[in-house]
Amino acid sequence: MENPHPASRSLKRKPEGDLSQDQTDSKGPCISSKIRKKVLHQVSLLNSAASDCATIKRAIYNLSVLAENEDLADTLLDCGAVHALVRHLQLSHAGNDDDDKQNKCYNQGVTEHEQFEVAKGCSLIIELLAIKQEHQDLIVGAGVLPRLVESLKRHKICTISEPLVYLLKRAADAITSLAHENDDIKTRVRREGGIPPLVELLEFNDVKVQRAAARALRTLAFKNDGNKNQIVECNALPTLVLMLGSEDPKLHSEAIGVIGNLVHSSPNIKKDVLLAGALQPVICLLSSCCSESRREAALLLGQFATIDSDCKVHIAQRGAIPPLVDMLKSSDAELQEMSSFALGRLAQDSHNQAGIVQSGGIEPLLKLLDSKKAPVQQNVVFSLYGLADNEDNVVCIIKADGFQRLKTGNFRNQQTAECAVKALKRLEEKTQGRVLKHLIRLMCYPEEKVQRRVVIALAYLCSPRDSKTIFIDNRGLNLLLDMLKSTNVKQKGDASAALHTIAAKAHSSVVSLFELPPRSPSLQMYLGEEYVNNSKLSDVTFLVEGRSFYAHRACLVSSDIFRAMLDGSYREREANNVLIPNIKWDVFELMMRFIYTGTVAVSVDMAKDLLKAADQYLLDGLKRICECAIVQEISLENVVQLYKMAEDFNATSLGNACILFMLEKFDVLSREPWYSTVIHHVLPNISMFFSNLLAKSHPADL
């Protein structure tokens, strides 16, 4: 990434020097006329042929103090400061008297060192003024770049001295400032011949100059393919690679920054960098004391890892994984982002997946799922997606609560959420065979939290054909029921959702459990619709609410109660008129219609009273029809009452539907004060329901 050097990029520096008091007047919509006069005076001194070297140096110093205040940049530009500075950036050429006379701007007797000091000051002011793109374009338009490039070349024709060192540094920093986020100027630097001398200065015998040159190259290489290619063509890579091993943190930070910008979106340069021997030095920088170098190293390794599988393996073999895992634990969000980026790319290779887990990568990755930075989350989920491809890692991920974290994660963008779904799908695909056996064994693990994590994960991940083995034969159901008894609300919620999922997987949907058509009573003969309440051939009459209902004894045998009433030792046996108490006429009519036809349309309004009658007269088929109707109206408000009705009238299907509804709606119902009491009351029936359900869904029982 591009790394702007000047402090003016982010901070307004407090002015220093004899003009600082006057600068306080510059705040507000109008610039102080006093300041403007002082700027014009300093510019006039620079433009005057009569000014001696001391005057010029003093004027440049005064302008540099003013330039430190960003609010005054426009004033300096408007007053012509840049053109005056360009004039003094032009250095005399050693041994070229004609050129000296043509471009002379000093009195005789000015030494080369003094010229360097003046040019250094000019470069500093240019660096400070180039704070906005419009400023950068104006400055470059005044002809600054050729002068700065010429300054960069002075080390080849002049004796090395302290003034020259400072000039080289300031010239490189000025180019960095001018080219920052300005692609046109980056390209112009290349066309003015600025890249070759910067590459040469990487080997200059002063670390400050090396850093400044690297910083400039880093900026010039950022998203500019032409500059990247020329930097590589100038043979910068070997020197940059050597700089990675420098003991100066700032130097190797700049060097790795250059390399990072060179390889970005440039596959061929990536290969050139690796051929130059960069891999091991970059890996070593993962343990640097410099946070920026560590970030850049991790980013660079992630980029290297996209080349091919062999490169991913080589990165891991050379020891990159442990320091990358350590970086995940840092409090620095950028270190977390870059290390998770690198691990995500490395985790897409099967040889590295187990190594990341063995290096302790699972726990810190899972913790970072809660990061507030979307890129960190995205990198972490991508890493877990890769790790889930290895069977040996599935158990570790689930044991560390990775399933639940991926399932319930609050992801900050859609791409991350989709990747989490893919990771869960991979876990599901691997949950069979030896992985499943290992997970089943973990349900007996000494740590209860591990037992809970595993049984919850299995509820979602296992195949329906394995449900009985897991939850009945190996007591997984008991673990879930124990969680329902817990005082921990989260445990209850997890268990409720898991049980509901198990039921849904056992059938195509939960509702289908209760919408199946009722079975026809065995050995039953139906007289048909036309005989309902028909006096023709009637041999018994029921008195309901004072009205007569004509019936036929032969058709009533489907009800054990009617059969006992009419054929047994009851007094109704000999009676022609039988009193039916406590049943409404409409309800009795529907019940009889079912007995005569084997089916009946039941409205929700009639279903509850009809269920009571069907239970009283032991008509199981009619009970199932009523239960199907009542199930449709289960709600948060009536589920407890309907469950009590199911208990009162032995309506097993309705009771099971209420159980599943209470499990599904845990988040809402758990807020009710009665919920815990009801769940404890229902637990035996929950156990029975799931035991029967899973036994029937097992292939051996079908």
Side-chain angles (χ1 to χ4, degrees):
M1 292 182 289
E2 190 167 8
N3 181 29
H5 170 61
S8 59
R9 291 284 175 227
S10 57
L11 298 173
K12 286 188 178 182
R13 292 175 287 179
K14 184 176 180 180
E16 299 175 357
D18 56 358
L19 299 180
S20 60
Q21 182 63 40
D22 292 331
Q23 290 183 63
T24 59
D25 299 332
S26 67
K27 296 180 179 178
C30 298
I31 300 298
S32 166
S33 60
K34 185 177 180 181
I35 293 295
R36 186 176 184 86
K37 288 179 180 178
K38 291 200 173 190
V39 172
L40 289 171
H41 177 63
Q42 307 305 319
V43 171
S44 67
L45 291 175
L46 293 180
N47 289 330
S48 172
S51 297
D52 59 16
C53 187
T55 301
I56 291 170
K57 289 168 68 176
R58 185 163 54 250
I60 289 173
Y61 169 75
N62 290 335
L63 288 175
S64 69
V65 172
L66 291 167
E68 287 183 332
N69 188 333
E70 290 183 10
D71 293 333
L72 298 180
D74 288 326
T75 302
L76 269 72
L77 290 167
D78 292 344
C79 291
V82 172
H83 289 280
L85 293 170
V86 170
R87 183 167 176 265
H88 290 279
L89 273 173
Q90 184 164 348
L91 303 171
S92 61
H93 292 270
N96 192 337
D97 294 335
D98 293 337
D99 186 72
D100 287 348
K101 293 175 182 178
Q102 182 179 354
N103 299 295
K104 184 176 180 181
C105 54
Y106 299 104
N107 293 327
Q108 292 182 355
V110 176
T111 66
E112 185 178 63
H113 287 184
E114 289 175 321
Q115 291 186 50
F116 291 164
E117 288 177 359
V118 169
K120 176 199 72 174
C122 294
S123 300
L124 172 61
I125 297 172
I126 289 167
E127 176 189 348
L128 294 172
L129 291 178
I131 56 178
K132 298 178 182 177
Q133 182 168 346
E134 56 266 32
H135 293 174
Q136 295 166 347
D137 294 336
L138 285 171
I139 294 169
V140 170
V144 163
L145 281 183
R147 304 290 184 263
L148 291 174
V149 171
E150 189 62 31
S151 294
L152 295 176
K153 299 176 181 178
R154 300 300 286 190
H155 71 284
K156 295 193 294 184
I157 58 176
C158 298
T159 304
I160 304 302
S161 62
E162 184 175 350
L164 177 60
V165 169
Y166 284 116
L167 171 60
L168 295 172
K169 178 185 179 303
R170 286 301 180 192
D173 285 342
I175 287 176
T176 300
S177 190
L178 287 168
H180 175 64
E181 295 183 352
N182 192 320
D183 199 56
D184 288 339
I185 293 179
K186 291 177 187 177
T187 301
R188 289 188 66 173
V189 171
R190 180 178 78 248
R191 291 173 179 169
E192 293 288 349
I195 289 179
L198 285 169
V199 172
E200 291 172 4
L201 289 176
L202 293 176
E203 299 186 44
F204 190 78
N205 191 25
D206 184 275
V207 70
K208 295 184 181 68
V209 173
Q210 292 176 7
R211 287 201 301 257
R215 191 158 45 242
L217 291 171
R218 182 177 187 174
T219 298
L220 294 172
F222 186 65
K223 295 183 179 179
N224 189 303
D225 290 338
N227 287 358
K228 290 181 185 182
N229 292 331
Q230 189 172 89
I231 292 170
V232 174
E233 289 167 3
C234 289
N235 202 30
L237 291 181
T239 305
L240 289 169
V241 170
L242 286 175
M243 291 168 69
L244 295 178
S246 171
E247 295 182 0
D248 182 348
K250 294 181 180 179
L251 184 58
H252 60 59
S253 174
E254 296 296 350
I256 198 168
V258 180
I259 294 174
N261 286 348
L262 287 173
V263 305
H264 180 69
S265 301
S266 302
N268 291 333
I269 295 180
K270 286 180 191 176
K271 295 177 182 178
D272 291 338
V273 169
L274 289 173
L275 289 173
L279 183 56
Q280 195 60 48
V282 170
I283 291 173
C284 290
L285 285 180
L286 294 174
S287 303
S288 169
C289 61
C290 175
S291 294
E292 185 177 351
S293 292
R294 296 172 71 192
R295 289 195 299 269
E296 292 288 345
L299 174 60
L300 197 51
L301 289 175
Q303 293 171 328
F304 287 159
T306 62
I307 295 176
D308 54 40
S309 293
D310 287 343
C311 190
K312 293 182 178 71
V313 174
H314 292 157
I315 292 170
Q317 288 175 339
R318 293 180 179 227
I321 290 177
L324 285 171
V325 170
D326 286 340
M327 288 170 64
L328 293 175
K329 305 171 187 176
S330 169
S331 58
D332 185 327
E334 291 188 352
L335 282 178
Q336 295 169 355
E337 180 182 348
M338 295 304 128
S339 57
S340 57
F341 169 78
L343 288 170
R345 273 63 192 166
L346 293 174
Q348 306 313 307
D349 182 85
S350 58
H351 297 285
N352 295 337
Q353 291 157 358
I356 293 172
V357 173
Q358 292 303 313
S359 296
I362 292 292
E363 291 284 355
L365 283 170
L366 293 177
K367 286 182 180 179
L368 289 180
L369 286 177
D370 298 327
S371 172
K372 295 180 180 180
K373 291 194 65 174
V376 174
Q377 278 192 333
Q378 186 170 339
N379 292 338
V380 167
V381 172
F382 188 58
S383 299
L384 293 169
Y385 168 73
L387 297 179
D389 193 41
N390 190 313
E391 286 189 357
D392 296 326
N393 295 340
V394 172
V395 174
C396 297
I397 293 172
I398 292 174
K399 185 178 176 182
D401 204 26
F403 168 79
Q404 277 289 76
R405 285 175 174 266
L406 285 168
K407 180 177 176 297
T408 62
N410 181 22
F411 301 117
R412 298 180 179 273
N413 63 47
Q414 185 61 30
Q415 186 177 2
T416 303
E418 291 172 357
C419 188
V421 171
K422 292 179 181 179
L424 291 171
K425 184 64 178 176
R426 275 191 171 178
L427 292 175
E428 182 179 1
E429 292 169 353
K430 302 295 181 182
T431 304
Q432 56 182 316
R434 66 184 181 91
V435 173
L436 179 59
K437 290 179 180 179
H438 194 166
L439 290 171
I440 289 174
R441 289 185 63 187
L442 282 180
M443 289 197 300
C444 299
Y445 198 76
E447 285 189 62
E448 291 184 0
K449 68 178 181 181
V450 173
Q451 296 178 17
R452 292 193 294 267
R453 290 170 179 175
V454 171
V455 75
I456 292 294
L458 286 174
Y460 292 90
L461 300 177
C462 76
S463 167
R465 67 175 179 272
D466 296 318
S467 294
K468 179 176 179 292
T469 301
I470 296 166
F471 298 104
I472 303 300
D473 301 343
N474 287 279
R475 303 181 69 253
L477 179 59
N478 290 347
L479 289 175
L480 292 173
L481 295 178
D482 288 342
M483 291 174 68
L484 280 182
K485 299 175 189 175
S486 169
T487 57
N488 185 299
V489 176
K490 183 179 184 305
Q491 288 186 27
K492 286 182 178 179
D494 291 344
S496 297
L499 287 167
H500 190 269
T501 299
I502 293 169
K505 289 171 71 172
H507 295 76
S508 59
S509 71
V510 174
V511 176
S512 70
L513 292 169
F514 314 103
E515 290 186 341
L516 295 173
R519 299 187 301 273
S520 300
S522 58
L523 303 177
Q524 173 63 27
M525 178 183 70
Y526 302 113
L527 292 183
E529 178 74 22
E530 64 272 20
Y531 287 95
V532 177
N533 198 17
N534 190 334
S535 60
K536 183 179 180 181
L537 301 178
S538 172
D539 52 6
V540 63
T541 301
F542 296 106
L543 299 176
V544 183
E545 292 187 328
R547 299 166 63 181
S548 297
F549 193 101
Y550 301 101
H552 308 80
R553 293 174 183 265
C555 191
L556 299 175
V557 296
S558 62
S559 166
D560 291 342
I561 297 298
F562 278 127
R563 186 169 59 250
M565 182 188 299
L566 301 175
D567 295 339
S569 58
Y570 296 96
R571 65 177 182 274
E572 288 87 351
R573 177 179 180 180
E574 305 299 332
N576 290 326
N577 296 311
V578 178
L579 179 65
I580 303 295
N582 303 323
I583 297 183
K584 297 177 182 179
W585 171 268
D586 293 343
V587 174
F588 186 80
E589 183 183 29
L590 286 174
M591 182 176 71
M592 297 304 288
R593 193 176 300 280
F594 173 79
I595 292 174
Y596 274 74
T597 65
T599 185
V600 67
V602 179
S603 67
V604 173
D605 294 337
M606 294 291 293
K608 295 176 183 178
D609 290 336
L610 191 56
L611 175 64
K612 178 180 178 180
D615 181 62
Q616 180 179 342
Y617 287 91
L618 303 181
L619 296 169
D620 290 340
L622 181 57
K623 282 176 66 175
R624 286 192 294 274
I625 292 175
C626 294
E627 288 175 281
C628 281
I630 296 171
V631 162
Q632 308 308 314
E633 70 164 7
I634 297 178
S635 68
L636 297 169
E637 292 75 22
N638 67 16
V639 63
V640 176
Q641 291 77 11
L642 292 181
Y643 182 79
K644 187 176 185 305
M645 178 189 292
E647 285 188 314
D648 292 342
F649 303 135
N650 301 305
T652 304
S653 295
L654 175 59
N656 292 340
C658 290
I659 287 172
L660 290 176
F661 186 88
M662 285 188 276
L663 294 174
E664 181 184 15
K665 303 297 182 181
F666 170 85
D667 288 343
V668 179
L669 292 175
S670 61
R671 302 169 193 162
E672 301 293 337
W674 47 260
Y675 187 78
S676 294
T677 303
V678 170
I679 286 294
H680 276 79
H681 174 72
V682 175
L683 273 174
N685 287 340
I686 295 178
S687 178
M688 184 181 301
F689 165 64
F690 279 96
S691 296
N692 293 335
L693 178 66
L694 296 176
K696 291 178 182 178
S697 66
H698 194 269
D701 299 324
L702 296 179

